[in-house]
């Protein structure tokens, strides 16, 4: 820079202790003086004066990247991103390694990424992520060991969005090394661990502070739930509700994990409490009715859901829940009646179309209608493995084995761990005389999720098929 640092510092020091201000005409080319004056004016709230001082400094020293980077930072602190971007690029045109200019541009592009809400990442967002990472990495490389945590936090967030969770873990770990109690740092680090499939570390990162910072409890509960730690997740949701007692979604999540853990009594109790707190929310009688039914109080569960349908006559989700318990209670005709009511209200309801179609297929009744219903569901969701299975099973029950194979094979490929689908595929192979393939499919069914199948019946089919094979002993 074209200035005398020592003389400028003397002048500026005098200003700080109350010496009368030096007029601009006294030091027209003293860029360091203008630089420091800008800092002083901004601190005093005179942003306009600070900008003017920096512009004078830039005019006096047109080759200074530092001054243009300072202009960029001033605009960025005022959330004037377009002006900040222009000044930062001007600084980098003079010195592409300038730390502050790289930092400013990286933060600008990171903010643009955070502002996007689309589920599918656009090309523009991908560009922002790439450029934000590039500039922040340059800033980090040129910074001291104690570079600010904001830089590494923002870089870590961009790594997560950019699909580099391992780099995110490294960057966010630096944030916590400087500030172990940073709540947002820990939340971001836990997210990075989860993105890298390390749920244990994600959980541990939040468990360390959850007692002192219960704000992290909802995120902790979700990671515990994803890891299959259902009772721990329920406890974390309870802790979260102590902070947010009116949060409807947290109540729903706690009830749901308890039901998944087969703690139906506790789930029914919490759902009953929530019904009193949220009398206009149909989700809670819906959950309580199902929980009571699964806990063994079938009549109580059905009665509650029947009452809920009357209280919320337009809520098709509650109607669907009632049809579900009717079917599970062996009241197929009642379930069919309710499902037809759902479809009268919502003719394109894919779940109801599929459920009714599959129910008819299982009963072996009205199979042409069953096929039409499930085809309509598949029109809405052509890649849905459960719907493909329903259509395949309807064709199987009708005797159209080639059509059945087309859909059942596709369903089994999409949902290889679904025991019921693998069981259906095994039945198809057996009907077509392909016993080795049937045995393989039934074996996959036994190793699958175990839902909606009877293992003893499958084992018997495997045994019978082996007995029919030529090489059987």
């Amino acid at each position: 820079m074209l200035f005398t640092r020592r003389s400028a510092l003397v002048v500026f020091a005098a200003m700080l202790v109350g010496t009368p201000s030096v007029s601009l005409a006294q030091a027209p080319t003293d860029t360091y003086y203008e630089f420091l004056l800008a800092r002083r004016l901004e601190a005093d709230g005179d942003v306009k004066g600070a900008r003017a001082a920096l512009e004078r400094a830039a005019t006096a020293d047109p080759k200074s990247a530092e001054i243009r980077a300072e202009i960029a930072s001033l605009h960025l602190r005022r959330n004037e991103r377009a002006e900040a971007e222009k000044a930062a690029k001007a600084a980098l045109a003079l010195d592409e390694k300038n730390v502050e200019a790289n930092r400013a541009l990286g933060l600008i592009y990171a903010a643009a990424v955070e502002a996007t809400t689309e589920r599918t990442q656009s090309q523009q967002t991908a560009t922002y992520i790439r450029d934000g990472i590039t500039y922040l990495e340059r800033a980090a490389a040129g910074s001291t060991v104690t570079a600010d945590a904001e830089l590494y936090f923002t870089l870590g967030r961009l790594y997560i969005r950019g699909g580099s969770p391992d780099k995110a873990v490294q960057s966010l770990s630096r944030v916590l090394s400087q500030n172990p109690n940073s709540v947002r740092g820990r939340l971001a680090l836990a997210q990075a661990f989860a993105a890298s499939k390390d749920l244990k570390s994600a959980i541990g990162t939040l468990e360390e502070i959850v007692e002192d910072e219960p704000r992290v409890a909802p995120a902790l509960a979700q990671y515990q739930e994803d890891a299959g730690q259902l009772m721990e997740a329920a406890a974390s949701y309870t802790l979260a509700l102590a902070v947010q007692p009116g949060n409807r979604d947290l109540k729903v999540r706690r009830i749901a994990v308890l039901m998944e853990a087969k703690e139906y009594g506790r789930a029914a109790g919490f759902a009953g409490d929530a019904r009193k707190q949220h009398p206009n929310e149909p989700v809670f009688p819906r959950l309580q009715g199902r929980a009571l039914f699964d806990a063994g109080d079938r009549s109580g569960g059905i009665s509650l859901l029947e009452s809920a349908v009357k209280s919320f006559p337009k809520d098709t989700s509650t109607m669907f829940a009632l049809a579900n318990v009717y079917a599970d209670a062996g009241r197929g005709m009642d379930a069919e009646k309710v499902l037809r009511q759902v479809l009268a209200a919502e003719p394109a309801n894919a779940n109801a179309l599929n459920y009714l179609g599959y129910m008819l297929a299982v009963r072996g009744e009205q199979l042409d209608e069953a096929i039409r219903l499930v085809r309509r569901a598949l029109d809405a969701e052509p890649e849905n493995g459960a719907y493909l299975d329903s259509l395949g099973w309807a064709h199987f029950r009708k005797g159209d084995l080639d059509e059945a194979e087309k859909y059942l094979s596709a369903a089994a490929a999409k949902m290889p761990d679904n025991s019921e689908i693998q069981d259906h595929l095994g039945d198809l192979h057996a009907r077509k005389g392909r016993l080795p393939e049937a045995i393989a499919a039934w074996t996959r069914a036994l190793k699958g999720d175990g839902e909606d199948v009877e293992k003893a019946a499958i084992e018997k089919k495997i045994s019978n098929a082996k007995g029919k094979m030529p090489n059987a002993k």
Side-chain angles (χ1 to χ4, degrees), residues 49-102:
R51 288 176 186 156
L54 287 172
E55 291 299 336
R56 288 193 297 271
T59 300
D61 191 353
K63 295 184 179 181
S64 172
E66 288 85 353
I67 293 174
R68 283 154 184 78
E70 182 68 15
I71 293 172
S73 295
L74 174 62
H75 283 302
L76 187 58
R77 289 192 289 273
R78 305 297 300 172
N79 202 31
E80 298 163 349
R81 293 179 184 171
E83 296 86 345
E85 182 177 7
K86 180 179 178 181
K89 287 183 176 179
L92 292 178
L94 295 167
D95 177 10
E96 69 174 12
K97 295 183 179 180
N98 184 278
V99 171
E100 189 58 29
N102 278 296

Side-chain angles (χ1 to χ4, degrees), residues 172-218:
L172 293 164
S173 294
R174 293 193 66 162
V175 175
L176 291 189
S177 70
Q178 296 181 44
N179 186 0
N181 295 319
S182 170
V183 173
R184 67 174 189 155
R186 283 189 177 271
L187 285 169
L189 180 58
Q191 184 182 4
F193 277 128
S196 62
K197 312 295 185 186
D198 186 358
L199 287 174
K200 181 179 179 180
S201 293
I203 291 167
T205 298
L206 298 183
E207 281 181 335
E208 288 184 25
I209 64 167
V210 68
E211 290 187 6
D212 296 325
E213 293 288 355
R215 290 176 292 169
V216 308

Side-chain angles (χ1 to χ4, degrees), residues 377-400:
L378 278 167
D379 286 341
E381 299 180 38
E383 300 301 316
N384 189 305
Y387 298 176
L388 290 167
D389 173 68
S390 297
L391 184 56
W393 196 241
H395 280 295
F396 178 84
R397 294 303 302 271
K398 192 179 178 182
D400 300 333

Side-chain angles (χ1 to χ4, degrees), residues 344-402:
E346 296 182 2
N349 188 310
N351 281 332
L353 287 166
N354 174 69
Y355 198 162
L356 179 55
Y358 182 65
M359 182 182 299
L360 295 174
V362 169
R363 296 203 313 239
E365 301 173 357
Q366 300 164 263
L367 293 174
D368 289 335
E369 182 187 12
I371 290 170
R372 289 195 302 271
L373 289 167
V374 181
R375 283 191 180 281
R376 286 168 57 193
L378 278 167
D379 286 341
E381 299 180 38
E383 300 301 316
N384 189 305
Y387 298 176
L388 290 167
D389 173 68
S390 297
L391 184 56
W393 196 241
H395 280 295
F396 178 84
R397 294 303 302 271
K398 192 179 178 182
D400 300 333
L401 300 187
D402 290 340

